[in-house]
Amino acid sequence: MKLDVYATIADVKKEDLPSADAVVIDVLRMTSTVTNALENGAEKIKLIGKEDEARRFSKQENALLGGERGGVKLSGFAFGNSPLEYTREKAENQKIVMTTTNGARAAEAAMDAKSVRLCSFINVSNVASHLKNSPHVIILCAGTHDAFSLDDCLCAGALAESLNAEQENDLAIAMRLLYAAHENDLQAALKSTKHYKYLESIGFTDDLNFCLRKDTHACVPIMDQDGWFENEKNKRLHDSCIS
Ligand code: MLT
């Protein structure tokens, strides 16, 4: 396996995507939130970078709206971007269109890849196990406002450790080593970082605790051919029923 980790969407070599399996990481909080929503039974989730497009598409699809700007739920939306909002009671069987500042744009940037999955600490080992036969994995970190974000890159390091690829780019090696040094206290490693402190300052301490626990979830979100994310377990069941 060849593994390339990129710190922002601007760094990705677009020409490599069609033959690679892509993994998008936005630990705080989009990929953690979508994973929790699908684990709690949401039917499927579409990620759209632009707010007006998300509003239009949700009407067309008769779907609920979720997401944030500045970390805060948008007016008229059913959900914000807190994973804790997406309970089974509220999310089960729902189609949800989400727009978030960085994560949704990263998912859009990965769309041309052979497959696109979403990863965060809460599902990292399962994401790795779904990729073990891939010849080329590209990890695309969402970053914050087009800049390196330590939470995403540390999670890329955790995924790199589990993937154990024969060939890694330098960022994959760096993040794997950094993760190994901090895996026992992710809170300590991240508590001075920009987005962590911002989310804490606007009252999302419980989200931080939720997002920094490893392997609490089985769900691996994967993109279908229409660009919606669904639980890979359900997709496999569905695919085997129609083949
Ligand atoms: C994003 O996509 O920028 C983040 O998930 C923002 C957030 O923490 O709400």
Side-chain angles (χ1 to χ4, degrees):
M1 178 191 291
K2 180 178 173 205
L3 172 64
D4 290 310
V5 175
Y6 295 108
T8 71
I9 56 180
D11 300 331
V12 179
K13 288 193 196 132
K14 290 200 174 51
E15 65 277 15
D16 287 350
L17 284 170
S19 60
D21 294 297
V23 180
V24 174
I25 300 183
D26 179 18
V27 168
L28 302 176
R29 293 167 291 173
M30 186 281 283
T31 53
S32 306
T33 298
V34 172
T35 301
N36 194 45
L38 291 173
E39 176 115 351
N40 280 336
E43 183 191 338
K44 52 185 182 172
I45 296 180
K46 179 86 166 185
L47 294 165
I48 297 182
K50 292 201 171 110
E51 181 188 334
D52 54 347
E53 226 176 273
R55 287 188 188 272
R56 221 176 13 250
F57 189 72
S58 77
K59 270 203 195 106
Q60 181 191 312
E61 294 290 322
N62 202 15
L64 295 177
L65 273 165
E68 58 69 42
R69 284 300 176 270
V72 176
K73 177 153 99 178
L74 288 155
S75 108
F77 277 36
F79 301 94
N81 190 29
S82 167
L84 302 178
E85 282 182 60
Y86 293 74
T87 57
R88 182 162 291 278
E89 197 187 5
K90 285 173 74 181
E92 194 164 31
N93 299 324
Q94 298 294 348
K95 273 197 301 188
I96 302 167
V97 174
M98 277 186 79
T99 180
T100 70
T101 313
N102 305 287
R105 282 175 54 225
E108 285 178 332
M111 269 179 90
D112 289 337
K114 198 163 73 177
S115 69
V116 186
R117 290 177 177 80
L118 304 182
C119 178
S120 46
F121 284 112
I122 65 173
N123 67 347
V124 62
S125 296
N126 271 319
V127 173
S129 71
H130 287 223
L131 288 166
K132 62 179 185 292
N133 295 321
S134 171
H136 187 190
V137 174
I138 290 182
I139 303 180
L140 213 163
C141 297
T144 304
H145 302 298
D146 297 323
F148 171 94
S149 195
L150 185 56
D151 51 308
D152 297 339
C153 286
L154 263 190
C155 184
L159 185 54
E161 183 182 83
S162 295
L163 289 172
N164 197 20
E166 287 95 37
Q167 200 187 326
E168 297 174 311
N169 72 351
D170 283 12
L171 191 58
I173 296 168
M175 289 306 133
R176 185 168 46 71
L177 294 173
L178 198 64
Y179 173 72
H182 295 281
E183 62 180 315
N184 293 328
D185 200 350
L186 295 172
Q187 297 273 355
L190 293 168
K191 68 174 190 231
S192 314
T193 58
K194 188 174 171 184
H195 196 50
Y196 183 108
K197 284 199 296 189
Y198 177 68
L199 288 174
E200 198 172 39
S201 75
I202 60 171
F204 287 116
T205 307
D206 289 346
D207 284 12
L208 295 166
N209 295 333
F210 180 93
C211 294
L212 298 183
R213 285 201 310 252
K214 203 180 153 199
D215 291 331
T216 51
H217 286 55
C219 170
V220 174
I222 187 166
M223 199 174 77
D224 71 12
Q225 58 193 24
D226 300 318
W228 290 84
F229 283 88
E230 57 186 319
N231 188 333
E232 186 156 9
K233 191 180 70 183
N234 301 343
K235 183 176 185 301
R236 285 186 180 178
L237 265 177
H238 177 251
D239 291 352
S240 67
C241 289
I242 56 174
S243 63

